[in-house]
């Protein structure tokens, strides 16, 4: 096995072009588990941890956007300025693993693995984030909804590195909640992110761990828009309950070792209902 420890993005991209079957390694919190359990034996590794360009973030206030480098760890994302500007992302980051996992694990790694249970992904979906990809000679931007294509499958080409995501800063409530088999150190059994975008009069809901990839509840969102004036609304208990019921209908869960499909649907209805009621306060 060869290991290339890149110290800048150009070197990392060149190493990946030379060995497109290489496994990129950021925090290693997914990849090292696969290697340790003998699920995967890479021939080549390109380590990104020392690539500073991937560990930066920047706030573009005039455009109302935040760029987050793919190597920024959850430990950074759970605190300010993210806590204030992207509270759902901070909340989701806080639920990931333990402090040790959050010190190493990154949003880029969550996107790379693209598990339907990845905690960062429903947030990126509800916030309509854009994923940035770069190869030696090209770069492209892909909407998060087009990036996640299936169970642990994404639209990255073999010679591309995810350099980061751009996330709109919204005015309005946003929240992330998840259900697991215990309170901490737990992979989601079901998760949901709700974001209110008052400038576009939209409420967006994205679900995790209840389908092959993250599900945006477009039908429930549209139904809600016909029921209330989103910009000034106070959501009644009845509206919130019906919103939860409709969100559960959009979930496509399976039975597995973590939960039954039936329980997952129930969990989604409760999470969606509660998140909408939280948007009142
Ligand atoms: C004990 C434990 C608890 C965990 N708990 C949670 C949890 O609660 N919620 C959760 O969502 N996850 C959890 N995870 C999974 C993991 O921590 C996350 O998925 C994390 O985001 C992975 O980030 P990483 O930087 O460590 O990725 P890595 O392991 O370095 O990489 C993961 C994948 O992404 C690819 N990749 C990494 N960076 C890039 C890049 N820049 N461009 C292209 N591809 C890239 C890699 O090639 C690999 O395929 C847990 C893991 C462990 C071991």
């Amino acid at each position: 096995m060869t290991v290339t420890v890149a110290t800048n993005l150009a070197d990392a991209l060149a190493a990946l072009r030379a060995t497109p079957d290489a496994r990129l390694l950021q925090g290693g919190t997914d990849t090292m588990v696969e290697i340790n359990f003998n699920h995967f034996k890479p021939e080549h590794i390109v380590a990104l941890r020392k690539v500073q360009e991937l560990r930066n973030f920047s706030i573009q206030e005039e455009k109302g956007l935040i760029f987050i480098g793919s190597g920024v760890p959850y430990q950074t994302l759970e605190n300010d300025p993210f806590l204030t500007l992207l509270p759902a992302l901070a909340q989701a980051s806080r639920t990931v693993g333990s402090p040790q996992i959050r010190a190493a694990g990154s949003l880029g790694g969550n996107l790379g693995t693209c598990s339907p249970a990845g905690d960062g992904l429903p947030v990126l979906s509800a916030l309509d984030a854009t994923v940035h990809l770069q190869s030696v000679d090209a770069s492209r931007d892909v909407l998060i909804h087009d990036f996640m294509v299936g169970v642990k499958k994404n639209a990255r080409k073999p010679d591309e590195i995810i350099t980061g995501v751009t996330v709109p800063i919204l005015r309005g409530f946003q929240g992330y909640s998840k259900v697991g088999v215990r309170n901490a150190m737990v992979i989601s059994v079901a998760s949901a992110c709700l974001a209110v975008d008052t400038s576009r009069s939209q409420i967006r809901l994205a679900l995790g761990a209840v389908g092959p990839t993250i599900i945006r509840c477009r039908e429930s969102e549209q139904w809600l828009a016909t029921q209330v004036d989103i910009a000034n609304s106070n959501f009644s208990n009845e509206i919130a309950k019906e919103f939860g019921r409709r969100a559960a209908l959009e979930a496509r869960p399976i039975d597995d070792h973590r939960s039954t499909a039936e329980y997952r649907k129930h969990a989604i209805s409760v999470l969606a209902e509660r998140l909408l009621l939280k948007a009142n306060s």
Side-chain angles (χ1 to χ4, degrees):
M1 181 173 78
T2 68
V3 179
T4 305
V5 180
T7 53
N8 59 60
L9 185 57
D11 286 355
L13 289 167
L16 190 58
R17 175 61 64 88
T19 54
D21 60 334
R23 172 63 73 100
L24 295 166
L25 188 81
Q26 181 61 51
T29 60
D30 275 325
T31 296
M32 294 314 295
V33 173
E34 284 182 76
I35 293 174
N36 289 343
F37 280 94
N38 283 325
H39 292 158
F40 173 63
K41 282 191 184 162
E43 295 256 314
H44 307 285
I45 285 199
V46 176
L48 302 174
R49 190 97 192 251
K50 295 194 171 161
V51 178
Q52 193 53 44
E53 294 108 301
L54 300 178
R55 296 176 73 93
N56 294 331
F57 65 86
S58 58
I59 302 169
Q60 299 160 24
E61 271 178 38
E62 68 294 349
K63 291 187 181 162
L65 300 171
I66 302 189
F67 169 80
I68 306 170
S70 55
V72 175
Y74 294 111
Q75 181 183 262
T76 303
L77 300 175
E78 63 187 294
N79 293 303
D80 266 329
F82 301 97
L83 193 56
T84 304
L85 298 176
L86 302 176
L89 184 61
Q91 287 162 20
S93 299
R94 273 191 186 178
T95 75
V96 174
S98 59
Q100 293 88 339
I101 297 296
R102 296 198 290 276
S106 64
L107 212 45
N110 224 213
L111 285 161
T113 299
C114 218
S115 159
D119 283 307
L121 306 181
V123 179
L124 296 181
S125 174
L127 298 183
D128 283 342
T130 300
V131 181
H132 306 293
L133 295 147
Q134 197 168 329
S135 66
V136 168
D137 40 27
S139 62
R140 62 190 179 115
D141 298 337
V142 180
L143 265 182
I144 184 70
H145 315 296
D146 299 325
F147 181 79
M148 304 182 290
V149 295
V151 183
K152 297 196 173 181
K153 286 199 174 64
N154 64 46
R156 184 184 80 88
K157 294 178 188 158
D159 66 346
E160 287 178 325
I161 289 179
I162 303 163
T163 52
V165 291
T166 296
V167 187
I169 301 168
L170 302 185
R171 273 196 224 118
F173 169 86
Q174 54 183 256
Y176 178 77
S177 298
K178 86 186 198 188
V179 171
V181 292
R182 55 179 183 244
N183 274 343
M185 280 288 289
V186 72
I187 302 293
S188 292
V189 157
S191 65
C193 179
L194 182 128
V196 181
D197 183 351
T198 49
S199 65
R200 287 205 227 157
S201 286
Q202 280 183 345
I203 293 200
R204 310 192 203 125
L205 181 70
L207 310 179
V210 290
T213 188
I214 305 305
I215 293 173
R216 257 298 281 278
C217 295
R218 308 263 181 205
E219 287 175 20
S220 306
E221 291 175 13
Q222 278 163 18
W223 172 81
L224 192 59
T226 63
Q227 301 299 306
V228 287
D229 171 10
I230 283 164
N232 312 302
S233 201
N234 241 15
F235 306 105
S236 67
N237 290 345
E238 291 70 33
I239 290 277
K241 195 159 202 60
E242 179 60 14
F243 181 64
R245 193 188 71 78
R246 285 170 180 264
L249 289 177
E250 292 194 66
R252 286 181 283 135
I254 53 167
D255 293 331
D256 67 9
H257 60 289
R258 290 204 184 93
S259 179
T260 62
E262 189 187 357
Y263 179 74
R264 283 187 158 110
K265 273 195 179 262
H266 172 68
I268 288 299
S269 70
V270 174
L271 291 177
E273 177 184 350
R274 286 188 189 164
L275 281 167
L276 190 63
L277 288 175
K278 274 193 191 171
N280 280 338
S281 49

